[in-house]
Amino acid sequence: HRATLTSHTDSVFAVALTPEGHTALTGSWDDTTILWNLRGLPQLLTRRTDQACAAAGGGLTPTEWDRYIAALPYRKTCDR
């Protein structure tokens, strides 16, 4: 079974996950960011970072982090 998160109206270019893996932040070319509650999606919690990074094509750069979640200190995500 595969879960799909919908709401953005354009491609998602960034995904960041909280350390416990229950919340994700996505950034889209539609100029929106969305916080997702992933608690009901156990298949995403298995190898969650690898799956999210692959789906988004990489993590947030320091510039993207400052733009979308400046209130939190930068944390390297994925291979970026």
Side-chain angles (χ1 to χ4, degrees):
H1 176 70
R2 185 174 183 170
T4 301
L5 303 175
T6 59
S7 285
H8 289 296
T9 59
D10 204 342
S11 298
V12 171
F13 62 82
V15 175
L17 295 163
T18 57
E20 79 285 348
H22 296 293
T23 305
L25 171 77
T26 55
S28 171
W29 291 115
D30 65 9
D31 292 325
T32 64
T33 56
I34 298 175
L35 283 173
W36 302 91
N37 179 350
L38 303 178
R39 289 185 184 269
L41 303 172
Q43 66 274 21
L44 289 179
L45 299 178
T46 304
R47 298 181 48 223
R48 62 191 177 270
T49 302
D50 293 342
Q51 292 176 2
C53 290
L60 294 173
T61 66
T63 301
E64 292 166 337
W65 189 284
D66 287 343
R67 180 176 177 191
Y68 297 110
I69 47 177
L72 299 175
Y74 177 74
R75 181 172 158 238
K76 183 178 177 183
T77 56
C78 304
D79 291 328
R80 286 173 115 175

